[in-house]
Amino acid sequence: MAEKGNEFSQERKNRLTAVFRTFDYDSSGCIECDEFLAIGKAVRGDEIWTEEKNAECMKRVDTDGDGKIDITEFISFFQMQGLADRSDRRFTALVNKYLAAAVAGRAKYNVANQTVVEGGDFVPESYKIKAEADLLAASNHGACMFAENQANKLKRREMYNRAAGYEKEYKT
């Protein structure tokens, strides 16, 4: 793959890794087509992001053609878009936008993949709507906590890397 722009700093790679992990709704280590669809709808909207658009964009990011996006393909895609050359402010704003979309998409993805109410026709419609809203709120809270947890893990890793660098510097 031809590279555009500069390499990402380790801090930016860690931030993109946090976004990737937040987008990986089933924690499988890769983003599958249904997760990519949920992401696209969260970022672009249900009306704009169709199945056809999803398949087209998935092919652009999935460079090895296995039907999944791994972390290397994810970071390479953003590098090809020139994100390494953006200012810290613009990079942070974009990452925050994607994290917010990931949280919203994760909540909707979880709701779509769970049974809201058992009981079929015997349950009042208002109860079904309330149960779905409660499930969405709980999923949204869980998604926010997951995203925050991933970001904190990567921040700690960056602190450990800096400390190891300082240790090397002072020993020599």
Side-chain angles (χ1 to χ4, degrees), residues 15-32:
R15 296 189 66 204
L16 286 174
T17 300
V19 172
F20 176 83
R21 288 180 180 172
T22 308
F23 279 157
D24 181 16
Y25 298 147
D26 62 1
S27 299
S28 65
C30 56
I31 299 172
E32 287 90 11

Side-chain angles (χ1 to χ4, degrees), residues 107-118 135-136 138-139:
K108 288 181 181 178
Y109 179 84
N110 288 342
V111 168
N113 291 317
Q114 293 179 11
T115 303
V116 177
V117 178
E118 298 289 331
L135 183 59
L136 184 59
S139 292

Side-chain angles (χ1 to χ4, degrees), residues 11 25 27 37 40 54 73 78-79 90 102 118-119 122 137 157:
E11 180 185 351
Y25 298 147
S27 299
L37 180 66
N54 190 61
E73 292 170 326
F78 282 106
Q79 186 173 335
R90 288 185 66 209
E118 298 289 331
F122 301 109
R157 183 184 301 163

Side-chain angles (χ1 to χ4, degrees), residues 23-156:
F23 279 157
D24 181 16
Y25 298 147
D26 62 1
S27 299
S28 65
C30 56
I31 299 172
E32 287 90 11
C33 193
D34 59 336
E35 293 170 323
F36 197 67
L37 180 66
I39 294 163
K41 287 184 176 197
V43 172
R44 301 284 184 198
D46 290 341
E47 301 82 29
I48 296 171
W49 199 264
T50 62
E51 295 273 345
E52 296 79 26
K53 178 86 171 165
N54 190 61
E56 174 188 320
C57 292
M58 182 89 176
K59 285 180 188 174
R60 278 194 291 154
V61 181
D62 179 24
T63 55
D64 64 7
D66 65 353
K68 302 173 193 169
I69 300 169
D70 62 33
I71 186 65
T72 305
E73 292 170 326
F74 188 79
I75 290 176
S76 293
F77 174 77
F78 282 106
Q79 186 173 335
M80 290 292 296
Q81 303 305 310
L83 260 65
D85 300 327
R86 286 194 179 182
S87 69
D88 285 337
R89 185 181 58 77
R90 288 185 66 209
F91 180 82
T92 299
L94 186 67
V95 166
N96 289 341
K97 173 186 170 184
Y98 284 134
L99 281 172
V103 167
R106 179 180 280 269
K108 288 181 181 178
Y109 179 84
N110 288 342
V111 168
N113 291 317
Q114 293 179 11
T115 303
V116 177
V117 178
E118 298 289 331
D121 296 334
F122 301 109
V123 178
E125 188 64 27
S126 60
Y127 182 78
K128 291 179 187 178
I129 292 170
K130 168 112 173 56
E132 186 173 326
D134 290 345
L135 183 59
L136 184 59
S139 292
N140 193 32
H141 176 72
C144 287
M145 296 304 294
F146 181 84
E148 185 177 319
N149 186 12
Q150 292 301 313
N152 287 337
K153 284 180 182 178
L154 292 166
K155 283 179 188 174
R156 281 194 303 273

Side-chain angles (χ1 to χ4, degrees), residues 6-16 75 84 88 91 158:
N6 298 319
E7 290 285 322
F8 283 116
S9 67
Q10 189 59 45
E11 180 185 351
R12 285 190 177 194
K13 281 184 182 178
N14 287 346
R15 296 189 66 204
L16 286 174
I75 290 176
D88 285 337
F91 180 82
E158 184 64 29

